[in-house]
Amino acid sequence: MGSGPTLSAPAPPSPLRPIDAARQELAHRVLARRRLLAFTQKINPRYLPGWVHEDICRRLERFSREVEEGKSPRLMLLMPPRHGKSELASRVFPAWHLGRCPDHEFIACSYNVSLAMSFSRKVKEVITDPVYEAIFDTRLHPDFQAAEEWAIKGHRGGYVAAGVGGGITGKGAHILTIDDPIKNAEEAQSADLREKLWEWYTSTAYTRLAPGGGV
């Protein structure tokens, strides 16, 4: 038997020249400013999205544009637990939107103030990440960084965390985020609790919206 051709291993890819690497990094930053999913993956390189996360990001991008344009958008994300809606909508999206619109105000509400403050801390972690600082100019105000309420340096924007039914009188919002307003199935089945939640939304939370603001 004759010997066949010798197969050599493929050569490893050539490393990028410094100027090419710089251009590639700049392109990634520009894309992250424009696209929420690209931003999410830039902040967390291990993030592996599925089609549903791509869809959520597209909807949140449209929501963000419509808030900028004063169109009073409404968006509801209804998914089972542990499917990534809070990671995108309550952690990454506020930081991304404030990077683009640092004069906008957020009010974020959950069934209690502890959960709302947990989301607040996660948004702050994103904004103070060096990767974020390389993409956006938005910075936290050095003297106003409490988890319950913080502000954007040099701008009118900021973030307020509150429990459903809690006091947000005197606060304003271009975006009102309501994530997990009901604690569990038992509370969800309570007609009285649902009625109180609706009354709080219509009489308190909704009135905090700026003209053209989104929920």
Side-chain angles (χ1 to χ4, degrees), residues 1 11 36 71 91 109 123 130 157 162 169 172 183:
M1 296 178 60
L36 180 58
K71 293 183 176 180
R91 177 178 180 261
C109 300
V123 177
T169 302
K183 184 177 181 179

Side-chain angles (χ1 to χ4, degrees), residues 19-88:
I19 189 170
D20 293 332
R23 287 173 177 168
Q24 186 178 78
E25 174 62 21
L26 180 60
H28 288 166
R29 293 179 188 180
V30 170
L31 185 62
R33 284 194 286 269
R34 295 177 179 174
R35 296 287 180 261
L36 180 58
L37 183 57
F39 172 77
T40 303
Q41 293 178 301
K42 189 71 175 171
I43 290 293
N44 180 9
R46 294 178 297 175
Y47 185 81
L48 298 175
W51 69 265
V52 68
H53 306 111
E54 296 174 2
D55 185 68
I56 289 173
C57 286
R58 284 193 294 268
R59 293 174 188 272
L60 287 169
E61 288 170 3
R62 182 173 62 191
F63 178 87
S64 176
R65 289 194 303 270
E66 291 182 352
V67 170
E68 288 185 73
E69 296 165 1
K71 293 183 176 180
S72 301
R74 301 292 183 267
L75 175 63
M76 297 180 72
L77 302 175
L78 306 177
M79 296 169 58
R82 309 303 299 171
H83 276 61
K85 59 185 182 298
S86 292
E87 172 70 14
L88 290 174

Side-chain angles (χ1 to χ4, degrees), residues 164-171 176 178 194-209:
V164 166
I168 53 176
T169 302
K171 309 300 182 182
L176 171 65
I178 304 174
R194 295 198 306 269
E195 181 62 29
K196 288 180 181 178
L197 179 61
W198 180 246
E199 182 179 348
W200 166 82
Y201 174 74
T202 55
S203 65
T204 302
Y206 185 79
T207 65
R208 299 294 90 209
L209 275 180

Side-chain angles (χ1 to χ4, degrees), residues 105-122:
E105 297 172 306
F106 272 78
I107 294 179
C109 300
S110 299
Y111 65 81
N112 65 24
V113 70
S114 177
L115 179 59
M117 289 172 63
S118 174
F119 288 135
S120 171
R121 284 189 286 267
K122 290 177 180 178

